[in-house]
Amino acid sequence: MVDIATRVWNHKWKIDPIVRSLIDTDFYKLLMCQSVFRNKPDTQVTFSLINRSKHVPLAELIDEGELREQLDHIRSLSLKRGESTWLRGNTFYGKRQMFTPEFMEWFEALRLPAYHLERVGDQYELTFEGAWPEVMLWEIPALAVLMELRGRAVLNDMGRFELQVLYARAMTKLWQKVQKLRVEPGVRIADFGTRRRHSFLWQDWCVQAMLEGLGPSFVGTSNCLIAKNRDLEAIGTNAHELPMVYAALADDDAALAQAPYDVLADWHEEHEGNLRIILPDTYGTEGFLRDAPDWLAGWTGIRIDSGDPATGAEVAIRWWQERGEDPTEKLVIFSDGLDEDKILELYTQFAGRVRVSFGWGTLLTNDFRGLTPDDRLAPFSLVCKAVAANGRATVKLSDNPNKAMGPNDQIARYKRVFGVGEQDRMDVIV
């Protein structure tokens, strides 16, 4: 067991790089990357950092030279032999050789492309431009670097014993969550906390605590490196990035309306009927399900990532019933703004009506709320999104308009095309 407090103290001597490996990323990123590599390898995409929590002045907290040092280190990384062997030979979701030889040869030769970093006021402008399969792999490590450097800045003035007490309190806080969750042995939870974790070491500790505390209720982690090192299931399927880019490439309104379904048709072909989880909220869940082709109703389940989660699950159950499917055989994955009380509430509400699972993110791997003066370690909402594809702006509507992004005129167009009316605004927890 790593003594995290001592390692944090030693950060002052630059012992730990923040990102240790190209597979220190979420599993869904690699799955999507292979799909993009196959279907749209030449698409030119721009990713950009977006700090939704403007009260956190990243450029005042994080030294630009240190940020560049960490980003440059990531650019020096390549796939290690053991990592390649794991990806090539491991069984994921019951399938061997999830990753094709062609993709693996490309990935083994990959170095991440250049970045653009500029200070603008008290924030950083960080962008990545280039071929979609390459730049998309910057998203998770870039977020991990910024989140951890912000944490290091806050912790830098703490003494050694103060750090020991802080991490003891954080460990106790997490263990209390675990104890609360294990009263329901039917709960199924995966770690989805890579992108906004406190640190790699802390995420790894949280995963070990969940494994010991929850046993079979803990089903795995989205983090590939931790999954490999801890012999766990790597969990994940796809994300909003795919429909956002496909939609931006559409030449007219008819093609735009079809784009989210084109994504899933390519996904189905890519994975031969495996990994059939729908993420319907990119342009509004109700409209997506209303216009969805019948073949999608036969997929395994749905992930709910915005809006009121209980409402989203009810919409999904009703849709399956209307399409002649048995909801009790379907999977609903909740993954937005979860903490232990919300997990238990949703499990109690939907267990027996559908198969229920949870992707627990930031409040698993970065809940230091109330543990420092002025709450300076509280998690905040930082994202890195595809903002343009082949020169066209991307748009995300979401089931929560507070998560929407894109130019206003394009947001209005997308709402018209996808039939999105009034939406309830909800606080973005993280």
Side-chain angles (χ1 to χ4, degrees):
M1 184 77 68
V2 171
D3 180 350
I4 298 178
T6 297
R7 287 281 281 274
V8 170
W9 172 260
N10 287 336
H11 281 159
K12 297 169 185 177
W13 289 273
K14 300 185 184 298
I15 286 178
D16 285 317
I18 291 174
V19 176
R20 294 153 166 76
S21 163
L22 283 184
I23 67 166
D24 182 11
T25 191
D26 281 334
F27 188 54
Y28 79 84
K29 263 295 177 182
L30 300 187
L31 293 172
M32 291 198 308
C33 187
Q34 177 170 250
S35 184
V36 170
F37 175 77
R38 176 182 178 183
N39 294 297
K40 297 189 182 298
D42 298 323
T43 301
Q44 299 296 298
V45 172
T46 301
F47 276 75
S48 183
L49 182 75
I50 302 169
N51 184 3
R52 294 171 176 156
S53 302
K54 299 298 185 185
H55 65 280
V56 179
L58 290 176
E60 293 184 4
L61 290 168
I62 298 171
D63 176 74
E64 182 175 337
E66 191 170 5
L67 175 55
R68 288 185 182 277
E69 182 181 5
Q70 294 290 342
L71 296 174
D72 289 341
H73 170 73
I74 294 170
R75 291 197 67 205
S76 75
L77 295 173
S78 60
L79 207 60
K80 299 180 178 70
R81 181 178 297 177
E83 296 166 348
S84 178
T85 300
W86 182 74
L87 289 170
R88 284 178 178 269
N90 198 36
T91 298
F92 301 101
Y93 288 89
K95 180 182 178 181
R96 290 191 65 83
Q97 293 188 323
M98 180 72 78
F99 298 99
T100 67
E102 294 79 12
F103 173 75
M104 287 304 305
E105 288 174 10
W106 171 84
F107 192 23
E108 287 161 351
L110 178 69
R111 303 292 188 280
L112 292 190
Y115 60 87
H116 171 78
L117 176 65
E118 182 179 351
R119 177 169 178 161
V120 180
D122 62 2
Q123 300 293 338
Y124 282 118
E125 179 182 280
L126 178 61
T127 56
F128 312 95
E129 299 181 11
W132 190 7
E134 296 179 1
V135 295
M136 69 186 296
L137 293 177
W138 261 117
E139 176 188 356
I140 306 300
L143 289 173
V145 162
L146 284 153
M147 296 300 294
E148 187 161 348
L149 283 179
R150 178 261 194 164
R152 290 186 182 188
V154 172
L155 299 174
N156 190 55
D157 294 332
M158 291 187 177
R160 192 164 190 165
F161 284 93
E162 190 176 7
L163 287 168
Q164 291 282 1
V165 172
L166 171 70
Y167 280 101
R169 293 175 66 198
M171 290 173 179
T172 301
K173 186 175 186 179
L174 176 59
W175 193 250
Q176 288 172 340
K177 296 184 184 189
V178 170
Q179 288 180 312
K180 198 169 185 178
L181 288 167
R182 65 184 178 191
V183 302
E184 288 286 2
V187 170
R188 295 292 179 265
I189 303 174
D191 158 41
F192 277 18
T194 300
R195 63 180 50 238
R196 284 190 289 267
R197 67 194 183 195
H198 171 71
S199 70
F200 173 82
L201 294 177
W202 182 248
Q203 182 183 12
D204 188 43
W205 188 91
C206 292
V207 165
Q208 293 177 74
M210 293 280 283
L211 182 61
E212 178 176 317
L214 294 182
S217 290
F218 182 62
V219 297
T221 175
S222 66
N223 186 286
C224 296
L225 183 59
I226 295 175
K228 171 185 171 293
N229 291 346
R230 300 294 174 190
D231 195 23
L232 295 169
E233 291 288 338
I235 303 293
T237 52
N238 55 68
H240 301 104
E241 175 186 338
L242 291 178
M244 287 172 65
V245 173
Y246 272 59
L249 299 176
D251 289 327
D252 53 39
D253 286 356
L256 174 58
Q258 182 61 29
Y261 310 115
D262 290 340
V263 168
L264 298 181
D266 283 348
W267 189 262
H268 184 82
E269 183 178 349
E270 177 75 26
H271 294 291
E272 301 171 337
N274 232 340
L275 303 170
R276 300 194 302 171
I277 300 297
I278 303 167
L279 179 63
D281 69 320
T282 310
Y283 303 120
T285 293
E286 295 216 28
F288 176 95
L289 296 178
R290 179 191 63 233
D291 298 330
D294 288 339
W295 55 268
L296 274 177
W299 278 34
T300 304
I302 282 177
R303 180 160 72 92
I304 297 174
D305 196 54
S306 64
D308 178 68
T311 299
E314 295 290 359
V315 168
I317 289 170
R318 189 164 58 248
W319 178 67
W320 282 316
Q321 290 170 335
E322 291 170 352
R323 299 295 179 103
E325 299 286 335
D326 181 0
T328 63
E329 297 180 354
K330 299 297 185 180
L331 176 65
V332 172
I333 303 171
F334 296 99
S335 61
D336 181 38
L338 297 174
D339 211 353
E340 76 277 17
D341 290 335
K342 178 58 71 173
I343 289 172
L344 290 172
E345 175 189 326
L346 291 167
Y347 177 78
T348 301
Q349 186 171 352
F350 291 101
R353 300 178 62 197
V354 292
R355 295 160 52 214
V356 181
S357 186
F358 299 91
W360 196 5
T362 308
L363 295 182
L364 168 63
T365 61
N366 198 359
D367 189 5
F368 284 70
R369 293 173 298 176
L371 301 184
T372 57
D374 302 322
D375 224 9
R376 293 187 300 151
L377 272 184
F380 65 105
S381 187
L382 185 70
V383 296
C384 183
K385 294 289 187 182
V387 296
N390 285 356
R392 298 176 180 175
T394 61
V395 172
K396 180 185 176 187
L397 298 180
S398 179
D399 286 331
N400 178 4
N402 284 341
K403 285 188 170 184
M405 56 169 285
N408 289 336
D409 62 330
Q410 288 300 305
I411 288 176
R413 176 192 170 216
Y414 276 59
K415 285 186 172 182
R416 172 179 56 79
V417 168
F418 291 104
V420 176
E422 290 298 318
Q423 295 176 300
D424 293 329
R425 292 187 176 274
M426 300 180 65
D427 290 339
V428 178
I429 297 175
V430 285

